[in-house]
Amino acid sequence: MFKVVENLTFWWPVKVSEPDDAKPGKSIEHVFEVQFAIQSSAEARASARARTAIIAEIKADITDEQLFEVQDRVEEHDLKAMRRVLKNWRKIADEDGAEIPFTEETFAAVWAHQRVRTALVRAYDEAITLEKGRVKN
């Protein structure tokens, strides 16, 4: 039976690709799991509008310093947007293999890695859209 849940959370795999040191020119995929919460359509639209408004500040005559400031604000927006939907994680460890607990500090440290940031955004987009189903059909 389908149940309409007000605040739906669910676990989803995140696939992070990075260069494989053992095989030059190849990449290796690592997977960990995150618990996402689905945003309402209104929240998603408001977040998209806010991001678009920041990016709209980029004009032809913008200075490098102003551009860097806008880029920093976009990155801050993206961090906060992901933090609103990412509630927990598992199967993620440091370079010594010790499990990394989910905290504000560890989230910020993991988010700082571009390859992880890209993988998290891709995973959330995949989870909330029908693209995965369309690809298989």
Side-chain angles (χ1 to χ4, degrees):
M1 173 187 300
F2 173 72
K3 295 180 182 179
V4 177
V5 178
E6 184 68 28
N7 297 304
L8 179 64
T9 61
F10 57 93
W11 288 95
W12 198 263
V14 177
K15 300 170 187 169
V16 181
S17 293
E18 56 189 15
D20 185 348
D21 190 44
K23 299 177 184 173
K26 302 288 181 183
S27 62
I28 188 167
E29 185 176 86
H30 299 281
V31 179
F32 66 99
E33 297 174 350
V34 296
Q35 185 181 41
F36 284 128
I38 293 185
Q39 283 186 307
S40 71
S41 295
E43 290 170 321
R45 281 192 306 274
S47 181
R49 283 187 189 114
R51 189 176 200 277
T52 299
I54 296 168
I55 293 170
E57 294 176 27
I58 299 173
K59 307 289 185 206
D61 61 346
I62 194 170
T63 67
D64 286 349
E65 190 58 36
Q66 290 169 323
L67 178 60
F68 294 143
E69 190 271 332
V70 169
Q71 289 172 328
D72 288 345
R73 289 180 37 226
V74 168
E75 287 182 17
E76 181 68 19
H77 173 275
D78 291 350
L79 179 142
K80 288 178 181 178
M82 180 56 66
R83 187 59 193 93
R84 283 192 297 273
V85 298
L86 199 156
K87 302 301 179 186
N88 202 352
W89 64 41
R90 59 188 178 201
K91 301 181 183 177
I92 185 168
D94 65 18
E95 61 187 289
D96 297 323
E99 186 174 327
I100 299 174
F102 182 77
T103 67
E104 293 298 325
E105 294 78 24
T106 58
F107 169 75
V110 169
W111 181 258
H113 296 274
Q114 180 63 45
R115 65 189 181 281
V116 179
R117 197 169 33 233
T118 299
L120 284 167
V121 170
R122 185 181 317 118
Y124 184 74
D125 287 346
E126 179 183 274
I128 64 169
T129 65
L130 301 176
E131 293 305 311
K132 189 173 183 181
R134 288 187 193 138
V135 171
K136 290 182 179 179
N137 289 336

